[in-house]
Amino acid sequence: MSANNPTTTNGSSSGKALSVLIVSTLAFTVCFMVWMMFGVIGIPIKKQLGLNATEFGLLTATPVLTGSLIRVPLGIWTDKYGGRIVFFALMLACVIPIWMMSYATAYWHFLVIGLFVGLAGGSFSVGTPYVARWFPKSRQGFAMGVFGAGNSGAAVNKFVAPGLVVAFGWTMVPHVYAAVLLGTAILFWFFSHSDDKHLVVSNASFMSQLQALKDPKVLKYCQYYSIVFGGYVALSLWMVQYYVGEYGLDIRVAALLAACFSLPGGVLRAIGGWMSDKYGAHSVTWWVMWVSWICLFLLSYPQTDFTVMTVNGAKTFHIGLNVYAFTGLMFILGIAWAFGKASVFKYISDDYGQNIGAISGIVGLAGGLGGFVLPIMFGALMDLTGVRSSAFMLMYGVVWVSLIWMYWTEVRKTHVMGKEAPEGPFSRSFQR
């Protein structure tokens, strides 16, 4: 049954839909917490192994790679077999690799095991269509936004892991996370539901599903998502060590401040879903990109000292964001990307209601690959330039691409925030 014809027509179905939404969101939160594990434990591992910034970027990004590549087949399997069984099996498959992480000693050990741990990141492509099909089309944006709030698992990781690292060492974190994931899988199985009417009969292969990338709209949504989700993942992995290196903070304080970006970037996704339902995916995404552009422009400026010769002699001035201004901008950026993650999937539910699983898998793949490539590029740029804020310079350029693309394909053809196109010499920029 397609997402346009949900079964929530009576109290029983509504109760099941709510139960599915709550338990799926919990499961996704735990999976995301596991997926972001290296963002914290990677710091003592980096010190233990003597890694440079590029190697650290690869270490943190490795789980993101498999979590991204698995998204398309998981979306297809969810359409075919149902989200309940696929989600449950996925969580169980990750428990042992997570536990084994604590026994790794060499760099390649972490990379290989990280590939298996990364499977947890594919949970988004299971939960999105699974949850969406329990709700009517008018509420799908909100429902997917609530589920997507599980991204806040990145913030939960920053609250939990640093305390474990300081108290017991980094090896305790994988043990605790494996136990939590196992318990969550059991809880999910008992409180989730399945409906055969939600299954989509499809014999499409992985490669045939990738043909959807020939659709310019799908390609554009992939670009948007590579920023609002890929950038979110990348910065969630990068921020703790950024605070430690840039401002000399303790790992626990650094993680707490980094959560000011990760937490709103996850929990406020539901509000983004509601706004997308009310104002439309285009309007929300357009403003998200502009807010991102402004924040990243300010975040890109490196700590700078310059000397000016005055009539009284040389005077030195300092320009740069202090830790409070930096955290404030990251907080705003997290809110914007929370809205953007919801609005991109509202695009998908509007345009591809019959094929949400596969399309969301493809778009999720693009976002995840952004989350894989960006930390590596952050590290390479820092090794090359020695400037930590080069990470934000890179993101600023990527946002420019999306703004230009969006302007030429959407803004020139649609109204913004529901307003009528203005009359005058520039009206063609807003009218079809």
Side-chain angles (χ1 to χ4, degrees):
M1 187 174 184
S2 76
N4 294 323
N5 297 291
T7 60
T8 55
T9 57
N10 54 58
S12 176
S13 295
S14 297
K16 288 182 178 180
L18 182 60
S19 179
V20 165
L21 178 60
I22 293 172
V23 77
S24 297
T25 303
L26 172 63
F28 181 48
T29 301
V30 173
C31 285
F32 210 90
M33 177 184 73
V34 167
W35 205 37
M36 297 287 99
M37 182 167 52
F38 277 131
V40 174
I41 68 171
I43 295 174
I45 293 173
K46 176 185 178 182
K47 184 177 180 180
Q48 176 182 316
L49 300 179
L51 307 179
N52 61 30
T54 305
E55 290 170 330
F56 175 77
L58 179 60
L59 173 68
T60 60
T62 297
V64 182
L65 178 61
T66 43
S68 305
L69 295 178
I70 197 66
R71 287 188 171 207
V72 173
L74 283 175
I76 296 171
W77 295 338
T78 299
D79 283 344
K80 189 173 183 180
Y81 302 110
R84 185 178 185 230
I85 184 63
V86 176
F87 212 150
F88 178 70
L90 180 65
M91 286 188 282
L92 289 183
C94 295
V95 171
I96 293 178
I98 295 168
W99 183 274
M100 293 299 295
M101 180 68 68
S102 62
Y103 300 102
T105 56
Y107 185 54
W108 71 269
H109 294 169
F110 291 102
L111 296 182
V112 172
I113 297 176
L115 291 173
F116 290 96
V117 173
L119 294 175
S123 56
F124 183 74
S125 288
V126 181
T128 298
Y130 176 50
V131 167
R133 291 191 173 108
W134 284 94
F135 290 85
K137 192 176 183 67
S138 61
R139 297 176 60 200
Q140 283 180 352
F142 176 73
M144 289 189 293
V146 171
F147 171 76
N151 285 167
S152 59
V156 175
N157 176 56
K158 292 179 176 64
F159 292 135
V160 175
L164 292 174
V165 170
V166 172
F168 305 103
W170 73 264
T171 55
M172 179 59 69
V173 177
H175 286 166
V176 172
Y177 281 17
V180 170
L181 185 61
L182 179 60
T184 303
I186 295 171
L187 191 68
F188 173 84
W189 182 256
F190 283 107
F191 288 93
S192 59
H193 304 278
S194 59
D195 190 334
D196 291 341
K197 295 177 182 178
H198 293 170
L199 301 182
V200 176
V201 179
S202 174
N203 295 317
S205 65
F206 178 88
M207 295 306 297
S208 66
Q209 291 291 342
L210 290 180
Q211 297 298 312
L213 289 173
K214 294 182 178 179
D215 185 339
K217 288 195 296 184
V218 173
L219 201 60
K220 181 172 60 177
Y221 301 157
C222 287
Q223 163 67 11
Y224 297 165
Y225 206 60
S226 69
I227 296 172
V228 295
F229 179 76
Y232 173 79
V233 169
L235 291 179
S236 293
L237 290 168
W238 198 252
M239 278 297 92
V240 177
Q241 68 87 32
Y242 189 96
Y243 274 111
V244 171
E246 185 77 355
Y247 298 107
L249 303 177
D250 174 78
I251 187 173
R252 289 169 293 183
V253 177
L256 183 63
L257 292 178
C260 293
F261 165 74
S262 301
L263 189 60
V267 298
L268 296 181
R269 186 165 179 164
I271 299 178
W274 173 80
M275 291 181 64
S276 299
D277 285 337
K278 183 174 182 179
Y279 297 109
H282 159 74
S283 298
V284 175
T285 308
W286 174 246
W287 291 110
V288 162
M289 291 300 171
W290 274 111
V291 171
S292 301
W293 185 88
I294 294 170
C295 289
L296 290 168
F297 175 81
L298 297 173
L299 289 165
S300 295
Y301 201 87
Q303 300 289 337
T304 304
D305 290 314
F306 65 96
T307 301
V308 176
M309 298 305 297
T310 70
V311 294
N312 297 318
K315 286 190 176 182
T316 300
F317 298 88
H318 176 78
I319 296 179
L321 296 173
N322 60 32
V323 66
Y324 305 107
F326 179 85
T327 303
L329 287 170
M330 292 300 297
F331 179 75
I332 295 171
L333 189 64
I335 294 173
W337 285 356
F339 292 174
K341 284 179 283 189
S343 65
V344 170
F345 274 82
K346 179 60 176 175
Y347 272 122
I348 296 172
S349 68
D350 288 344
D351 297 342
Y352 303 96
Q354 299 288 341
N355 202 22
I356 294 179
I359 300 299
S360 66
I362 292 169
V363 174
L365 167 64
L369 287 177
F372 167 70
V373 173
L374 286 172
I376 300 174
M377 296 182 71
F378 292 167
L381 282 172
M382 196 170 85
D383 284 337
L384 180 65
T385 65
V387 178
R388 286 192 177 87
S389 65
S390 58
F392 299 106
M393 298 177 191
L394 174 63
M395 289 302 305
Y396 176 73
V398 177
V399 169
W400 253 126
V401 173
S402 285
L403 276 171
I404 294 170
W405 196 346
M406 193 173 193
Y407 175 77
W408 286 104
T409 60
E410 295 183 49
V411 175
R412 289 177 62 91
K413 298 180 180 180
T414 63
H415 306 321
V416 178
M417 296 302 285
K419 294 183 179 180
E420 292 296 324
E423 296 294 335
F426 302 103
S427 62
R428 293 196 326 180
S429 296
F430 295 89
Q431 295 177 335
R432 295 183 180 274

